[in-house]
Amino acid sequence: MDVLIHLFVGLHIVGIAALLGGFLTQMKAMGQGTARFVPAMLHGALTMLVTGVILVGLNQADDQSVNNIKIGVKLALLIVILGLVYVKRDEEKVEKGLFGVVGLLTTANIFIAVLWT
């Protein structure tokens, strides 16, 4: 079971890397007001959602404790990120503030995962 959990943790990290990497590649464009949500951001957020749900299930099946409040906060942030990216994915440019919110929420999600024990 540990190998399976570690596999999905790795896939979860790939998802966050795609989401944050997509954001970082658009930082220069954000400064010019021409940033857009790239497909990698949507795919990364979806990967995070699917692997996160699987990880919670695998950990509970393995009788490991799961901090449901932490998972709920992370899920809420991810749903907001996913909603924003999904709704605005076809627009040629996204407002700086909205684009910045996605980057901020993504970073907050990372720090919640790492620091909340």
Side-chain angles (χ1 to χ4, degrees):
M1 186 72 95
D2 285 342
V3 172
L4 198 56
I5 290 172
H6 290 344
L7 174 72
F8 280 102
V9 167
L11 291 173
H12 196 68
I13 291 171
V14 168
I16 193 76
L19 178 58
L20 188 61
F23 173 79
L24 293 174
T25 61
Q26 293 289 306
M27 287 292 292
K28 185 175 180 181
M30 185 175 95
Q32 299 167 348
T34 59
R36 59 184 302 266
F37 292 128
V38 295
M41 295 175 74
L42 177 62
H43 297 150
L46 286 170
T47 300
M48 286 177 59
L49 179 64
V50 170
T51 57
V53 169
I54 291 170
L55 281 169
V56 169
L58 287 173
N59 280 301
Q60 287 180 341
D62 199 28
D63 289 330
Q64 296 181 24
S65 65
V66 175
N67 186 338
N68 291 319
I69 295 172
K70 174 182 173 180
I71 298 302
V73 170
K74 286 178 55 56
L75 180 61
L77 290 177
L78 184 57
I79 288 174
V80 171
I81 293 167
L82 192 53
L84 291 172
V85 173
Y86 184 78
V87 169
K88 300 286 189 174
R89 73 187 184 281
D90 292 331
E91 294 189 10
E92 285 298 317
K93 54 184 169 178
V94 179
E95 300 84 27
K96 287 181 186 181
L98 188 63
F99 196 79
V101 164
V102 169
L104 180 67
L105 291 176
T106 301
T107 305
N109 215 342
I110 293 168
F111 281 109
I112 288 170
V114 172
L115 299 177
W116 189 339
T117 57

